Every structure is written in C-alpha cells, then in structure tokens.
Amino acid sequence: SSFIQDEITIRPERVYLSLGTKLEHNDYTGFGLEPSARLAWTPSDRNTFWAAISRAQRTPSRSDTGIGVNLEALPGPDSLPIVVGYTGNSNEKAEQETSVEAGYRAKLSDRVSLDSTVFFNHYSDLVSVEPGTPQFENNPIPHLVYLSRFGNLAFGETHGFETFVNWKVTHKWTLSPGYSFLTMHIHRDPASQDLTTGPQTEGSIPNHQAQVRSQLLVARHWQWNTSAYFVGALPALAVPSYTRLDSNLTWQVGERFSIGVVGQNLLRDRHLEYSGPDSSVQSDFIKRSAYVKASWFF
C-alpha cells in the first residue's frame, strides 16, 4: 500500500484544499483506490468551515473467504441429524464506503469553543449471509448439512451529526459537553435472501449518545475529573439505555510521579452494554469498580 497527499493554498490563510489517495493491492480483491478531498475556509481567526468527501474500503479477511463453522446440530425427519452453520466465500468483494462530511469550528469567546459535524455515509457490497442448499453427507454418520454462505448483497447508509463544546467556566474549571446522533438503514439486493442482516445491524447501534466531562483544579497539584455518559438503547440486542458516571482525583506529586483514586460506573452496581446476537450465553455485566493508580514517567 502507499499514500499520497497534496495541500493546495487557494487563498493564503483563508482557503485550503487537500487532495490525496491511498493505493492498495491485496490477494483477495486486487487493486483498490481510496481517494479523498477536503476543503477548509477560515473567514476569520475564530471561525472555520470545512467539507470533505472520501472513499474507503474494507478488505475481506481470511475468515470471510475461508471460514467454516457448525453452529448447532438438530434432530431431523426420521432421526436424521441436521447440521446448521455457515461458510466463507472465496469470491468475497471488498465492502465500499463513500463519506460526505461538513463541519464548523468556532471560538465563540475567550472561554467557549464549538466543534460541530454533519455526515452522510453510503455503503455498498456489504457482507450478507445467504442461505445455502441442504447437502447430504455420510461422514462420520449420515446427516444433512445446511450451510449459509457469505455474500455481498447488502447496501445501506448512515447519517447524523455531532457537536461538542469546550467551556472554561473559570481558570480552574472546564466543562466539555457533547452530543451525537446516528441513524442507520440497511437494504437488501433483490437477489438476496438474507433476513437478518438489516434488522440486526440497524438495531445494534445507539441512535443517541451524550457526555459531559468536568476538569477541576481543586488545589495546587490536585485535579478532580468527572465524566458522565448517556448511551441509547440497542433494541435488536435487548440492551436498554444507560448512564455511566466515572470520576478520579489525582495528586501530581512531582513532574514524574502522580497518584490517583479512580471510580467507574458509580451510578449502578452493574449494567449491560452489549449482547452477542448469536450467543445463547448471558453477556457479562459491567460492574461498579474502584482502584488506586500510580504513574511514574521516566
């Protein structure tokens, strides 16, 4: 792989254009081109507008092309066992993404700055799981094998926005709130028979996320940091929304040594953040925890 980029000054200290591309070759899909273009306009020292368009790809992995997994064995007609699983695809294509973004950065005052972005991403040749044709096998005993096969018969898009503010309340206290919204839509090619990729994928990401971070210089060499996070529900995985609170108090003993007390997930004893869609095992809960951290820099 290789990468080339050039920054062009259209108007000194005001308008810049960046053009570049990544060139890649692999044994699975051959040659790939991933270009990008970014434009930045700074009308004043306090304001910057920018826009970008880029293209990326995900190269198939060894498991995408050559994996074979038996998920379960079921009793069939006349006591004939049925083995259910899936297999890779030696002709798997690279998944493609085209991303369009625009943003605004501003220093609203000497104490407040803002960074906002809107985006739209289009995806093609997404991996789908296509049902296969049952096959009869005799080894080690007579049984039917029902293997699904990876394909590239899905496409979709995501879009949303995010905004972050940095507010220096006093010279000792800084607040940094932020919010992001993301929505996803996955579609199937008319030739696809995959009935799980769309609903499972769309419902396994949070639409809403928010955070507030606080940094407070309590006294000389003492800093108190607190962060609160809200994450929306994952309906496809039956994971409810949750709010998490982390906090730490750090004592900077000298230039090279510090010691701190850290608390994580302080609001609840435990909460669920993710659950595997194909797993019958109960997922681990994230527990409340506390520890002491010592750092030595040399």
Side-chain angles (χ1 to χ4, degrees):
S1 65
S2 60
F3 183 81
I4 184 172
Q5 180 172 303
D6 184 30
E7 184 175 279
I8 304 168
T9 301
I10 298 178
R11 183 178 177 185
E13 300 183 1
R14 286 293 181 262
V15 184
Y16 299 92
L17 175 65
S18 296
L19 301 174
T21 187
K22 180 180 180 181
L23 308 171
E24 185 178 68
H25 183 275
N26 64 82
D27 291 338
Y28 295 104
T29 59
F31 179 76
L33 184 67
E34 300 175 75
S36 66
R38 307 181 68 88
L39 181 67
W41 173 40
T42 306
S44 68
D45 294 338
R46 290 178 173 265
N47 298 277
T48 298
F49 297 88
W50 63 272
I53 182 170
S54 55
R55 185 175 177 84
Q57 65 178 19
R58 187 191 75 88
T59 304
S61 65
R62 195 169 187 177
S63 61
D64 291 328
T65 59
I67 196 173
V69 176
N70 293 334
L71 295 176
E72 57 185 344
L74 305 172
D78 299 326
S79 300
L80 182 66
I82 299 176
V83 176
V84 178
Y86 59 87
T87 183
N89 181 359
S90 59
N91 296 317
E92 191 79 9
K93 300 178 183 178
E95 295 180 301
Q96 306 286 339
E97 177 199 19
T98 300
S99 177
V100 180
E101 306 166 272
Y104 172 61
R105 298 188 186 100
K107 188 174 182 181
L108 303 179
S109 69
D110 292 338
R111 293 187 174 185
V112 181
S113 60
L114 170 71
D115 193 340
S116 296
T117 304
V118 295
F119 58 87
F120 174 83
N121 303 314
H122 180 266
Y123 305 90
S124 59
D125 294 328
L126 294 178
V127 173
S128 59
V129 182
E130 305 298 332
T133 303
Q135 299 180 358
F136 183 80
E137 294 185 0
N138 284 313
N139 189 23
I141 61 173
H143 63 280
L144 282 176
V145 179
Y146 190 88
L147 295 180
S148 297
R149 184 182 181 88
F150 290 154
N152 293 99
L153 298 179
F155 61 98
E157 61 274 343
T158 60
H159 54 85
F161 68 91
E162 55 186 21
T163 184
F164 298 93
V165 175
N166 196 65
W167 176 26
K168 198 167 185 62
V169 185
T170 67
H171 70 283
K172 292 184 177 182
W173 185 25
T174 301
L175 281 177
S176 302
Y179 171 77
S180 66
F181 171 77
L182 172 67
T183 184
M184 174 185 291
H185 303 285
I186 302 297
H187 315 284
R188 293 185 295 124
D189 187 274
S192 174
Q193 296 180 322
D194 186 349
L195 300 178
T196 61
T197 297
Q200 283 287 69
T201 305
E202 291 178 5
S204 61
I205 62 168
N207 293 127
H208 305 276
Q209 295 188 74
Q211 61 176 279
V212 177
R213 292 177 295 163
S214 171
Q215 295 177 314
L216 177 63
L217 186 62
V218 181
R220 187 179 182 185
H221 306 307
W222 287 87
Q223 183 167 303
W224 179 26
N225 299 325
T226 302
S227 300
Y229 307 90
F230 169 80
V231 180
L234 310 180
L237 306 180
V239 176
S241 62
Y242 62 89
T243 301
R244 168 179 171 173
L245 179 67
D246 298 344
S247 187
N248 68 80
L249 181 64
T250 302
W251 176 31
Q252 189 71 39
V253 182
E255 292 184 0
R256 298 185 177 181
F257 184 76
S258 65
I259 186 169
V261 178
V262 181
Q264 295 181 322
N265 303 297
L266 298 177
L267 295 180
R268 300 178 60 184
D269 179 55
R270 62 190 64 193
H271 68 272
L272 186 65
E273 292 188 359
Y274 187 78
S275 176
D278 299 321
S279 175
S280 60
V281 179
Q282 177 67 50
S283 299
D284 289 339
F285 284 83
I286 307 300
K287 298 182 179 181
R288 180 187 294 136
S289 63
Y291 59 90
V292 176
K293 177 182 178 181
S295 301
W296 177 34
F297 303 94
F298 58 92

